[in-house]
Amino acid sequence: MSLTDLARPEIVAMKPYSSARSESAAEGILLNANESPWALVDDERARDDEVGPLNRYPEPQHARLVACMEERYGVPAGHLLLTRGSDEGIDLIVRVFCRAGEDAILDTPPSFGMYRIAAQAQGAEIIEIERHPDTLALNQAAMLQVIAGANPPRVAFLTSPANPTGDLVDESFLEDLLSAAAGRCIIVVDEAYAEFSPAPSFSEKLRQFDNLAVLRTLSKAYGAAGLRCGAVLAKPEMISLLRRIIPPYPLATPVVSLALRLFDPESQRQQKIMLSEIAANKLVLLKALKEQPFVLQVWPGEANFVLARVDSAARLLDHCAHCGITIRSFPHAALLKNCVRITVGSRQEIDCLVQALDTYPGNAPESVTELRNG
Ligand SMILES: *Cc1c(COP(=O)(O)O)cnc(C)c1O
């Protein structure tokens, strides 16, 4: 079975929408796209970046940005699709491969919530293989069994490092899974937090496996969540299936212009500094958490956040809110009772959080007094 055989037949059969901009070069006198001849506002910088003026439709997949990101993510030409964040990549994959009412995705709760939303929006079933109730580790045996079984899901979502548990996907397990899934199931590895971990990207496995898709994003380690820019890395056959349903101009001109700047040498230098500062601040946060008697369990993970189980997530959230700090709890996730996820912020932000932990009423009264006097 080829990859295309796994796609929804109506997607394979459809003739993709052909936009004016994709049919001809943006040169000479352009009277083919019902654009305005004038832009009312203009961005000088955008023109320097060769992204074109605002009155023109943007290039559907900006060639220079695609090339920058392919180089950065270490994949050959033709292996990358620009998307509006990884959220759009998740949605495109589910819509291309899952027939409503017939196919399923595999999810491993507790996990990132968008996999479930994309499946529900598409009318796909959700096969849940819960993580281990104490360690929160993946149930690898059960996942392999489902993928190799009689009714495999069409798409399986893995996250490395995972959110909110922070763990990496084991390489030999992934290889086993990809092999078991050949011709039956698309394996998605969401690498939204990859830059925070020294582990290499799984995009290198694209050479061997055509049923793999890797998701990357500029939202986290590029400090650009507001930009809404990410990418799907996959074999050209999968990229061309996804291109059939992506809107004709997914990335706005100012987005492309700003994204290009994230790949210039100065931004790269800044990113290195940012990543090492996050790593240092994470150690400060972990040390503080480990000293608190009300912190029962900590999952340090490999990303820019920490998951911890405390005496009462609701009370800690309240207390932090009182101190002007917002952290995350998971009241609806069965395995995350009294767990909180804390994002590693700046040193000043983490110092404020550590202070809030010290004054949390769950603490022994002496230590609170001591802190107040000091
Ligand atoms: C934050 C996050 C993303 C990012 O989504 P964008 O749409 O790129 O902002 C993707 N996957 C996971 C697991 C995340 O935690």
Side-chain angles (χ1 to χ4, degrees):
M1 227 193 196
S2 84
L3 188 67
T4 304
D5 295 324
L6 288 178
R8 285 167 53 204
E10 56 272 40
I11 302 288
V12 177
M14 75 190 249
K15 190 175 167 306
Y17 173 73
S18 181
S19 59
R21 190 56 75 240
S22 64
E23 283 172 3
S24 53
E27 290 165 0
I29 297 173
L30 296 174
L31 302 177
N32 64 336
N34 300 348
E35 296 154 336
S36 164
W38 311 283
L40 298 184
V41 293
D42 217 342
D43 180 353
E44 295 288 329
R45 224 168 23 221
R47 268 182 285 161
D48 293 346
D49 286 332
E50 303 154 43
V51 292
L54 205 56
N55 54 313
R56 300 295 173 192
Y57 281 103
E59 239 180 280
Q61 289 283 310
H62 191 274
R64 195 150 70 82
L65 182 57
V66 168
C68 275
M69 289 172 74
E70 282 173 339
E71 192 199 337
R72 173 53 49 91
Y73 297 143
V75 295
H79 285 61
L80 184 143
L81 181 72
L82 293 173
T83 57
R84 286 167 292 188
S86 339
D87 286 352
E88 183 170 53
I90 294 163
D91 184 56
L92 293 174
I93 291 169
V94 170
R95 282 196 289 136
V96 163
F97 291 101
C98 293
R99 293 165 298 177
E102 290 185 62
D103 296 319
I105 67 147
L106 175 65
D107 187 23
T108 58
S111 66
F112 184 51
M114 282 309 294
Y115 312 141
R116 152 175 297 275
I117 299 288
Q120 286 169 336
Q122 175 59 15
E125 239 185 274
I126 301 167
I127 301 173
E128 290 190 341
I129 297 186
E130 278 200 339
R131 285 164 172 265
H132 189 282
D134 303 322
T135 64
L136 300 180
L138 288 176
N139 186 343
Q140 299 182 351
M143 292 171 72
L144 280 165
Q145 203 174 4
V146 165
I147 298 285
N151 279 307
R154 270 297 154 96
V155 179
F157 284 100
L158 297 169
T159 322
S160 189
N163 176 11
T165 46
D167 53 317
L168 296 169
V169 171
D170 178 78
E171 179 174 0
S172 68
F173 165 64
L174 179 66
E175 284 178 352
D176 291 349
L177 203 66
L178 283 162
S179 301
R184 343 181 83 215
C185 172
I186 308 300
I187 306 289
V188 179
V189 183
D190 182 343
E191 293 188 335
Y193 300 96
E195 293 87 351
F196 299 105
S197 159
S201 167
F202 287 121
S203 58
E204 174 255 320
K205 304 261 174 271
L206 288 173
R207 269 183 277 175
Q208 238 175 305
F209 298 99
D210 69 355
N211 58 333
L212 171 66
V214 173
L215 305 180
R216 301 296 298 250
T217 179
L218 304 184
S219 291
K220 308 283 160 58
Y222 284 79
L227 198 58
R228 309 310 305 133
C229 184
V232 178
L233 313 179
K235 279 271 172 68
E237 190 182 355
M238 180 156 357
I239 299 293
S240 88
L241 284 166
L242 302 177
R243 274 199 84 160
R244 287 172 164 257
I245 60 164
I246 196 170
Y249 308 106
L251 299 197
T253 297
V255 170
V256 172
S257 165
L258 285 165
L260 282 167
R261 289 167 59 195
L262 289 176
F263 292 93
D264 70 23
E266 175 56 19
S267 299
Q268 287 316 300
R269 209 178 59 80
Q270 294 291 340
Q271 186 192 36
K272 284 206 184 77
I273 296 169
M274 177 179 107
L275 291 176
S276 67
E277 187 157 337
I278 296 288
N281 298 348
K282 185 172 170 180
L283 294 178
V284 173
L285 172 61
L286 284 170
K287 182 166 175 288
L289 286 170
K290 279 172 186 157
E291 283 166 2
Q292 298 296 347
F294 63 85
V295 175
L296 309 174
Q297 211 173 349
V298 176
W299 290 267
E302 300 271 339
N304 65 335
F305 56 80
V306 169
L307 184 71
R309 181 167 277 135
V310 297
D311 61 341
S312 162
R315 278 202 306 144
L316 181 61
L317 238 70
D318 260 12
H319 175 72
C320 286
H322 225 78
C323 304
I325 303 167
T326 308
I327 60 172
R328 177 96 187 248
S329 69
F330 305 89
H332 305 297
L335 298 187
L336 296 181
K337 196 164 181 325
N338 286 324
C339 287
V340 294
R341 191 190 66 194
I342 303 171
T343 305
V344 180
S346 68
R347 181 59 198 262
Q348 201 190 357
E349 289 169 336
I350 291 303
D351 285 347
C352 287
L353 179 88
V354 169
Q355 217 166 13
L357 295 177
D358 282 337
T359 57
Y360 175 59
N363 254 341
E366 309 84 68
S367 62
V368 175
T369 318
E370 215 171 278
L371 184 104
R372 292 224 172 103
N373 292 343

